[in-house]
Amino acid sequence: MLQKAIKKKEIESELQKALVQNPRIITIKAALRDDFEITSRVLSELISMGYKGVLLSAFKSATEFMQQIKDRGIHWADNIMVIDAISVSYGVAEKGVTNINGVDFVEGPFSLDDIYKCATEAINNIKSEKKFLFVDSVMAFLLYNEEKRITDFLSKLMNLGEKMDGLSVLITQPESAYVIPVEKIKTLNPSIEFSIAD
Amino acid sequence: MKKPLVEEKLQIQPMGIPGLDSVLNGGLVEGSSVILSGQPGTGKTVIGLQWLFTGYTKFKEPGVYISTTEPIASAIKNTRTLGFYSQSAVDEAGVYFSDLEILVKGRNLEEKKLDSKDINAVVQAITNLVDKLGSKRVVFDNITGFLYRLTDVATARVFLSRLIRAMSIRNATLLLIAERNNQGLSVFGVEDSVADGIIVLNYTLGEQSMIRRLNVEKMRGVSYRSGQVIFDITGDGVIIYPKIPSYSSTFKTDITERLSSGLPALDKMLGGGVPYGHLMLISGNTGTGKTTFGLHFLMDGLLKGEDVIYLTMEEPPEQIVKTAAEYGFDLEKFKKSGQLAFVSESLLDTNLDKLLYKIVNAAKNKPDTKRILIDSISSIESRKIPLELVREFLVQLNFFLKSEGITAYVNHLEPSLFVSVPPQTFGPTSATALRLSSLVDGVILARYIEREKKIINVLNILKLRGSWHEKEIIEYEINKKGISITGPLNK
């Protein structure tokens, strides 16, 4: 595993360098306050590099990400499918009723089986040689689930990355009072771990 | 060495809500549980949210808001318009919004009565959340709605005890938002007995606005100021107007040091000016120039670079600036520079604690404040406020001003001082029902008399505590330059 401490301003360039090696799993550690910005920047960079993929979001809603990416001048289109695990629980969307192109709403961050099912379907439907599966974030999922459930859930996602050609799995791990140390997740063997500082 | 069972010193956690920490003598005890209750619309949720946001933005203490009724999105939406809202606090999970139902996932809490197994799951879920976020402040909104969903009162008691204990051992302070029944009692009767503190909110309808009151009924382990205090919900959140404690610090009054009244002839009559820290009453009928005397006094301070306060009860500051300009007093300039601070209050729903708070706040914001004009005490007296409360207000104000070394002019309308029937030269000079003369240090009487088909303005100094003063009656006139003292009354 390559552990790399980088500055915030270097995210795009370091991500470009890393993706050349076709890494299976990338973990991104950053301060909680930077999570939204960093996730948006990474997504924007992935789209710019021709990647298509799935975002599992449990901290910010799909519409917030869409707006953020749009503000960066990046064309969202059909490059990203979002599994939004927050909008229904926040009362801004209704499962099975709210219809936004490119977004699947699940009931809440606790609906891990639903999230996994939607994610695998979505990733299988993407026709691209360069795919990504982005989990934002470990901490957000942990707030609503027992540690063991999250460990299993992440392990299953990692396996997808191992099995599927051309798929990179990205996971953000905001630094907070409580996150699972990466080593604790059995099958998680990140190719690269970025620790982002100011 | 064995650890003591009880820590000797309780850690006080400031609430960060203006005025409330004064009422609580510093704040809440860290790790305590407090019921915040009241009728709908009293501002319970706003106080809870303000406590969380200020806790994070000011004290870097993460907090969590657990909703049992309102969708999270609408709680956030309603808070966004208030001044204390901080988007970065939400983005950083410094203030984290959570829906209880989501938190205890899949148990369908909405659909059935909750038994002891369910309440364990709820306490466990909240505890996990607090652990993961490192929360120091927790708002549960609202506990009454949640307790209704429990099978019986005994389960309610167990739930509350477990939740309170779980938060206490984590040193997370818990604010339980609750409702009150028509008798002012908690709905289940168990909430009040298990919590460490109780804060009750209520309101009455004023003539123009809602008058909100807050009362700390109980707070274990710490002292607090009892009695109802008034509060407002403003665009910046809640402001509480605590009663100002009677100041026991040494008065800074000094009769050897004098401040000019702005009128050299009057200064001479006062033996050199207004004694430093004194409260001078200017009493007179309408049109006798009380406000103009006050303007001379303030302008003298402003021109010497002092900070001053103008408390206006009758006219808006803009009107006063305009009136002053007619005498050549450029108040606008000093208002802009910040040397002059206006304090004003609604004509209809005046509250004296609030008024006092505003004055104290204005003076604290400008520690070099040397003078204040209160224009006028009669407008307070004339409202639907018991005279004893007005007197109490003046006593507190007097203590405060003296301990801060602020010299005051207090205008008072005295209609009975208008007489026009010879041979009685002057009307009665008795003290009003407020017994003002004993509260103030000096009294200047401004009166009219009728002589040879003319109305003449006269003044005399009735009292000047501890100091010589002129006894003679003096004539004055009000002209384009303000007050002009013309000389002794020509009999």
Side-chain angles (χ1 to χ4, degrees):
Chain A
M1 179 181 65
L2 175 64
Q3 281 181 310
K4 226 171 169 188
I6 61 170
K7 301 265 183 207
K8 244 200 305 193
K9 60 182 179 189
E10 299 167 340
I11 293 169
E12 284 83 0
S13 57
E14 289 294 331
L15 189 68
Q16 279 176 20
K17 278 192 243 167
L19 287 170
V20 171
Q21 299 160 28
N22 195 20
R24 295 295 185 189
I25 299 158
I26 301 174
T27 55
I28 302 167
K29 287 180 170 179
L32 180 59
R33 66 172 181 276
D34 295 331
D35 185 72
F36 184 45
E37 183 202 337
I38 287 169
T39 303
S40 304
R41 282 172 60 181
V42 171
L43 281 174
S44 303
E45 191 56 31
L46 286 166
I47 298 170
S48 304
M49 291 174 71
Y51 276 78
K52 290 186 175 187
V54 179
L55 168 68
L56 311 186
S57 174
F59 206 59
K60 287 281 180 182
S61 67
T63 47
E64 283 174 291
F65 274 117
M66 284 174 165
Q67 188 58 49
Q68 187 79 356
I69 304 279
K70 199 177 153 194
D71 290 348
R72 290 175 178 278
I74 305 289
H75 185 50
W76 179 280
D78 56 355
N79 294 310
I80 305 177
M81 179 77 198
V82 185
I83 316 294
D84 182 333
I86 204 74
S87 292
V88 175
S89 60
Y90 265 45
V92 289
E94 218 171 317
K95 190 188 169 192
V97 177
T98 311
N99 188 11
I100 299 176
N101 205 18
V103 183
D104 251 355
F105 292 101
V106 294
E107 203 170 349
F110 57 85
S111 309
L112 295 180
D113 292 340
D114 260 8
I115 295 168
Y116 181 73
K117 187 169 152 277
C118 292
T120 47
E121 274 176 20
I123 207 78
N124 281 322
N125 287 336
I126 290 172
K127 306 289 176 229
S128 173
E129 287 181 0
K130 297 195 284 187
K131 298 183 190 181
F132 68 85
L133 179 61
F134 200 143
V135 182
D136 185 48
S137 66
V138 175
M139 194 204 85
F141 280 104
L142 269 169
L143 292 176
Y144 298 92
N145 296 280
E146 294 301 327
E147 190 178 304
K148 191 181 172 312
R149 288 192 75 211
I150 289 298
T151 309
D152 291 346
F153 173 68
L154 288 176
S155 298
K156 276 155 70 180
L157 296 178
M158 302 299 142
N159 287 339
L160 277 181
E162 294 287 342
K163 286 177 197 162
M164 198 176 284
D165 279 341
L167 175 69
S168 293
V169 177
L170 295 97
I171 299 171
T172 53
Q173 268 194 297
E175 285 166 5
S176 77
Y178 193 94
V179 285
I180 303 179
V182 175
E183 312 79 69
K184 281 188 80 174
I185 303 172
K186 279 183 198 165
T187 53
L188 180 57
N189 181 19
S191 326
I192 301 169
E193 182 182 287
F194 287 127
S195 292
I196 300 174
D198 282 335
Chain B
M1 199 172 86
K2 272 188 182 176
K3 236 184 134 181
L5 284 174
V6 179
E7 293 289 339
E8 278 181 12
K9 197 163 188 254
L10 295 167
Q11 290 296 320
I12 300 296
Q13 182 187 57
M15 288 195 80
I17 296 174
L20 191 48
D21 287 327
S22 300
V23 174
L24 294 166
N25 285 335
L28 298 176
V29 175
E30 198 177 77
S32 65
S33 55
V34 175
I35 299 263
L36 178 64
S37 67
Q39 304 148 264
T42 42
K44 303 184 291 292
T45 300
V46 177
I47 291 182
L49 286 167
Q50 191 171 350
W51 178 60
L52 290 181
F53 275 96
T54 315
Y56 187 68
T57 53
K58 209 168 168 187
F59 308 107
K60 281 291 158 209
E61 292 182 347
V64 58
Y65 176 84
I66 300 163
S67 172
T68 63
T69 48
E70 193 181 23
I72 296 303
S74 52
I76 296 178
K77 192 178 157 196
N78 295 337
T79 318
R80 273 208 176 108
T81 53
L82 296 165
F84 59 77
Y85 180 84
S86 155
Q87 188 58 48
S88 59
V90 176
D91 290 344
E92 293 165 19
V95 177
Y96 192 80
F97 288 82
S98 185
D99 186 315
L100 186 68
E101 192 195 354
I102 304 299
L103 205 58
V104 290
K105 53 192 183 272
R107 279 191 173 266
N108 296 324
L109 291 184
E110 290 286 348
E111 293 167 18
K112 63 176 182 110
K113 284 279 184 185
L114 308 177
D115 57 22
S116 56
K117 276 187 190 169
D118 295 319
I119 62 165
N120 282 344
V122 173
V123 173
Q124 189 59 52
I126 295 172
T127 307
N128 283 349
L129 187 70
V130 167
D131 284 346
K132 286 167 188 172
L133 290 166
S135 311
K136 301 301 288 176
R137 300 175 182 225
V138 180
V139 172
F140 192 101
D141 188 6
N142 97 15
I143 191 69
T144 311
F146 181 75
L147 294 184
Y148 267 120
R149 286 149 63 180
L150 304 185
T151 45
D152 48 49
V153 174
T155 312
R157 184 180 282 276
V158 172
F159 169 74
L160 282 169
S161 304
R162 284 188 190 162
L163 181 63
I164 288 169
R165 184 167 160 70
M167 296 302 107
S168 172
I169 58 178
R170 285 165 175 77
N171 267 345
T173 310
L174 177 65
L175 203 59
L176 296 157
I177 292 180
E179 286 157 25
R180 298 247 131 190
N181 62 22
N182 293 337
Q183 285 78 46
L185 301 168
S186 62
V187 177
F188 292 88
V190 296
E191 306 95 301
D192 292 355
S193 58
V194 292
D196 298 310
I198 303 168
I199 299 174
V200 180
L201 311 180
N202 63 55
Y203 65 78
T204 50
L205 292 175
E207 289 180 40
Q208 260 192 339
S209 59
M210 195 183 273
I211 300 166
R212 301 170 197 272
R213 293 184 179 82
L214 176 149
N215 186 25
V216 180
E217 286 192 353
K218 162 182 161 184
M219 204 57 72
R220 275 184 199 139
V222 286
S223 65
Y224 56 92
R225 290 192 214 162
S226 55
Q228 290 201 333
V229 291
I230 298 287
F231 72 97
D232 274 340
I233 300 176
T234 69
D236 288 328
V238 167
I239 298 176
I240 285 148
Y241 307 107
K243 289 183 191 303
I244 307 296
S246 292
Y247 280 70
S248 54
S249 54
T250 316
F251 288 166
K252 292 180 181 165
T253 47
D254 183 356
I255 56 165
T256 63
E257 194 182 330
R258 302 292 174 120
L259 275 72
S260 172
S261 64
L263 297 162
L266 183 58
D267 288 344
K268 203 175 159 192
M269 290 171 71
L270 290 162
V274 184
Y276 178 75
H278 270 206
L279 204 135
M280 291 292 294
L281 186 80
I282 315 290
S283 190
N285 205 339
T286 180
T288 47
K290 298 184 295 299
T291 299
T292 317
F293 276 109
L295 286 171
H296 278 284
F297 173 64
L298 290 190
M299 276 306 293
D300 183 78
L302 288 168
L303 293 169
K304 287 171 179 160
E306 296 171 6
D307 290 329
V308 307
I309 297 172
Y310 193 129
L311 168 67
T312 170
M313 300 296 295
E314 285 160 3
E315 290 181 297
E318 295 72 24
Q319 182 58 45
I320 287 159
V321 169
K322 210 172 152 190
T323 309
E326 286 169 15
Y327 296 127
F329 301 147
D330 188 2
L331 292 187
E332 187 63 35
K333 183 177 85 179
F334 296 107
K335 191 181 158 200
K336 276 185 185 158
S337 73
Q339 242 182 285
L340 166 66
F342 276 104
V343 173
S344 55
E345 180 58 0
S346 155
L347 280 167
L348 291 173
D349 294 321
T350 306
N351 178 271
L352 297 180
D353 288 335
K354 189 169 156 182
L355 189 58
L356 199 54
Y357 178 88
K358 284 185 175 181
I359 297 169
V360 170
N361 221 28
K364 297 273 184 198
N365 284 339
K366 290 271 181 188
D368 289 331
T369 300
K370 291 277 179 278
R371 304 175 191 225
I372 183 170
L373 170 61
I374 295 165
D375 192 14
S376 69
I377 196 69
S378 337
S379 27
I380 300 172
E381 192 188 357
S382 63
R383 305 243 162 82
K384 295 172 186 169
I385 300 171
L387 282 179
E388 274 315 307
L389 289 184
V390 181
R391 193 177 153 78
E392 192 184 299
F393 163 79
L394 269 176
V395 170
Q396 286 185 294
L397 181 64
N398 195 16
F399 279 152
F400 170 72
L401 296 175
K402 282 187 163 55
S403 57
E404 295 293 319
I406 300 171
T407 310
Y409 260 35
V410 180
N411 287 348
H412 180 253
L413 178 74
E414 181 50 82
S416 62
L417 290 177
F418 181 64
V419 289
S420 58
V421 187
Q424 187 188 16
T425 316
F426 299 112
T429 56
S430 61
T432 66
L434 266 177
R435 307 190 302 282
L436 283 173
S437 58
S438 63
L439 283 178
V440 298
D441 302 293
V443 180
I444 297 173
L445 290 181
R447 287 173 278 179
Y448 297 120
I449 57 169
E450 188 187 314
R451 287 293 177 272
E452 296 164 5
K453 297 180 186 173
K454 269 176 72 183
I455 297 290
I456 299 170
N457 288 107
V458 295
L459 70 86
N460 72 298
I461 297 164
L462 196 68
K463 164 184 174 178
L464 194 60
R465 188 168 281 158
S467 178
W468 174 91
H469 60 87
E470 180 65 72
K471 308 289 186 298
E472 206 167 356
I473 296 163
I474 303 293
E475 268 189 61
Y476 68 95
E477 57 180 38
I478 306 169
N479 53 36
K480 282 183 180 174
K481 288 184 176 178
I483 303 282
S484 180
I485 293 174
T486 48
L489 175 66
N490 185 358
K491 289 178 185 174

